[in-house]
C-alpha cells in the first residue's frame, strides 16, 4: 500500500470540508445524510469518517473554520465589519442557516453545546481585544463594561444570521449597522 | 347528530392550538408529526384538520397569535418590553425556537414566506405607531428614519429569539436591552 502523505491527508480533509459545507447549506443539518455527504464530497463514507468521527464532528469543524475566519476580520476591523461582509456577500454565508437548525440540539445536548460554544472562543477573544484597543484609543464609550458591548454585538450577529438564513436581503440593514456602530462609539456620549 | 355550537367550535380550536404549541415546542416543526399532534391535542387528525387545512396553517395560526400578543405589549410599552418579557419568562417562549427551524422553508417557499410575514404586520404596525408617538413626545432620537429604528429593533428581537431558543439564559441580556433602549432615545444626542 502506498504511504499516504501529509499533504494528501490535508487535501482530502479540505475536500471533505468544502463538500460538506455545500451539503449542509443545501439540505440543512438533518437533511445532510451520509449518502448526500458522499455525493457532495465525492468520497465514500469510510473516507469521510476516517477524518471526522461523525456528522456532529464535521459540523463543528466547519463552525470552527467560520469562527476563525470571522475572528481574523473582527481582530482587524471589528465585529460590525464581519456583519457588513455578511450583508455584502450573503451567498458566502448560506451555510450559516444550519446554525439555526441546531438550536434544539444546543438546548438539549449539553456536550454538543459546550463544544459548539468552545469554537467561538477565538472570535469572542478577537472581538474583546479589539474593543479594548478601541477603548484605550478613546473611541469606545466608557460608561459600559466591555462584556455588555460584546454581548450586544453578539446578539446583533445572531439576529443578522437569522435574517440572512430566512432569505432577507434588505439594504436597510446597512443603516441598522451604522446605528449599531454609533451606539457603542464614544462620540455620542459627549 | 347534535348541532355543534359556535362556543364548542371555538373551544375545540383553542384545544388544538394549545396542544399544537406544546407539540411544536417539544418536537420542532418537522418533528411535530400528525401522530404527535393527535397525542398532544387529544384529538383525531380528522378533528384537527377540520379546523386547520394542514400543519403549515396550524403553525401560521400560532405565529399569528404570538404576533397579536406581542403587538398588544408593543403598542403600550414598546418592542423592548416585549423582549424583556421574553427574558423574564423564557419558558413561555419555548415555542419560538420553531421559528428558527422554518428559516429554510421561508427561504425556499415564497408562498409560505409571504403568509408568515403577513402575520407580523400587526406587530410592525404597533411598533411603528408607538415609535411615532415617542417621536412626537420628543423621546425618540430624530436623526434617523423610524423605519431604520424598527429594523434595528426587529433585528435584535430575532437575535434574542435565537439566543433563547439555543438555551441561553444569561442575565447580561438585560444590560444589553438597556443599551438598545438608550441607543434609540433622544437624550444621548443632546
Amino acid at each position: 500500500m502506498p504511504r499516504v502523505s501529509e499533504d494528501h491527508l490535508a487535501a482530502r480533509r479540505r475536500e471533505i470540508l468544502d463538500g460538506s459545507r455545500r451539503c449542509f447549506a443545501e439540505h440543512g443539518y438533518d437533511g445532510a445524510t451520509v449518502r448526500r455527504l458522499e455525493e457532495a464530497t465525492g468520497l465514500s463514507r469510510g473516507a469521510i469518517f476516517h477524518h471526522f468521527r461523525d456528522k456532529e464532528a464535521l459540523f463543528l469543524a466547519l463552525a470552527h473554520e467560520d469562527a476563525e475566519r470571522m475572528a481574523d476580520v473582527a481582530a482587524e476591523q471589528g465585529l460590525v465589519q464581519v456583519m457588513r461582509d455578511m450583508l455584502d456577500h450573503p451567498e458566502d454565508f448560506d451555510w450559516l442557516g444550519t446554525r439555526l437548525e441546531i438550536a434544539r440540539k444546543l438546548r438539549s445536548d449539553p456536550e454538543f453545546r459546550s463544544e459548539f460554544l468552545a469554537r467561538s472562543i477565538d472570535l469572542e477573544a478577537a472581538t474583546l481585544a479589539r474593543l479594548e484597543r478601541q477603548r484605550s484609543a478613546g473611541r469606545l464609550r466608557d460608561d459600559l463594561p466591555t462584556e455588555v458591548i460584546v454581548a450586544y454585538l453578539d446578539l446583533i450577529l445572531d439576529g443578522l444570521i437569522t435574517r440572512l438564513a430566512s432569505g432577507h436581503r434588505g439594504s436597510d440593514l446597512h443603516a441598522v449597522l451604522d446605528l449599531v456602530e454609533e451606539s457603542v462609539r464614544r462620540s455620542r456620549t459627549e
Side-chain angles (χ1 to χ4, degrees), chain A:
Chain A
M1 256 173 71
R3 191 160 172 278
V4 181
S5 72
E6 281 201 16
D7 277 2
H8 182 79
L9 280 177
R12 183 53 57 94
R13 198 181 140 87
R14 189 67 266 151
E15 274 168 36
I16 297 170
L17 288 171
D18 291 345
S20 307
R21 188 182 292 272
R22 288 192 302 272
C23 189
F24 280 122
E26 187 172 357
H27 301 291
Y29 189 79
D30 289 332
T33 58
V34 172
R35 183 180 296 269
R36 281 176 173 156
L37 286 168
E38 286 182 320
E39 282 168 20
T41 58
L43 296 168
S44 71
R45 60 194 68 197
I48 296 171
F49 297 117
H50 173 69
H51 287 264
F52 298 93
R53 198 182 60 227
D54 49 22
K55 184 163 90 170
E56 194 174 302
L58 197 45
F59 175 82
L60 289 168
L62 289 170
H64 186 68
E65 273 199 338
D66 271 9
E68 277 188 331
R69 203 167 31 181
M70 288 180 184
D72 287 343
V73 178
E76 292 300 316
Q77 301 168 273
L79 197 58
V80 175
Q81 187 56 46
V82 171
M83 300 190 230
R84 291 195 193 277
D85 289 348
M86 286 183 174
L87 275 188
D88 290 336
H89 302 285
E91 68 284 0
D92 292 349
F93 294 90
D94 271 358
W95 179 76
L96 285 175
T98 315
R99 274 176 62 159
L100 304 182
E101 295 167 33
I102 57 146
R104 174 173 310 275
K105 196 170 168 62
L106 283 178
R107 208 165 64 218
S108 58
D109 180 341
E111 197 182 333
F112 180 73
R113 181 177 174 77
S114 74
E115 289 195 49
F116 183 76
L117 293 179
R119 118 258 161 248
S120 60
I121 284 176
D122 290 348
L123 178 56
E124 190 96 346
T127 304
L128 205 58
R130 183 168 188 277
L131 287 175
E132 292 296 356
R133 283 202 307 279
Q134 296 284 85
R135 191 186 287 277
S136 304
R139 284 191 291 267
L140 193 72
R141 54 188 294 176
D142 53 10
D143 57 339
L144 281 177
T146 311
E147 289 69 26
V148 170
I149 295 180
V150 172
Y152 170 70
L153 295 177
D154 277 350
L155 192 68
I156 288 161
L157 178 64
D158 275 353
L160 195 67
I161 289 172
T162 304
R163 281 303 168 89
L164 295 180
S166 308
H168 186 103
R169 295 286 184 269
S171 57
D172 54 334
L173 288 175
H174 273 293
V176 168
L177 291 184
D178 291 340
L179 166 53
V180 168
E181 211 156 36
E182 185 237 51
S183 65
V184 299
R185 234 185 255 137
R186 188 185 191 121
S187 53
R188 228 186 136 211
T189 54
E190 288 158 319

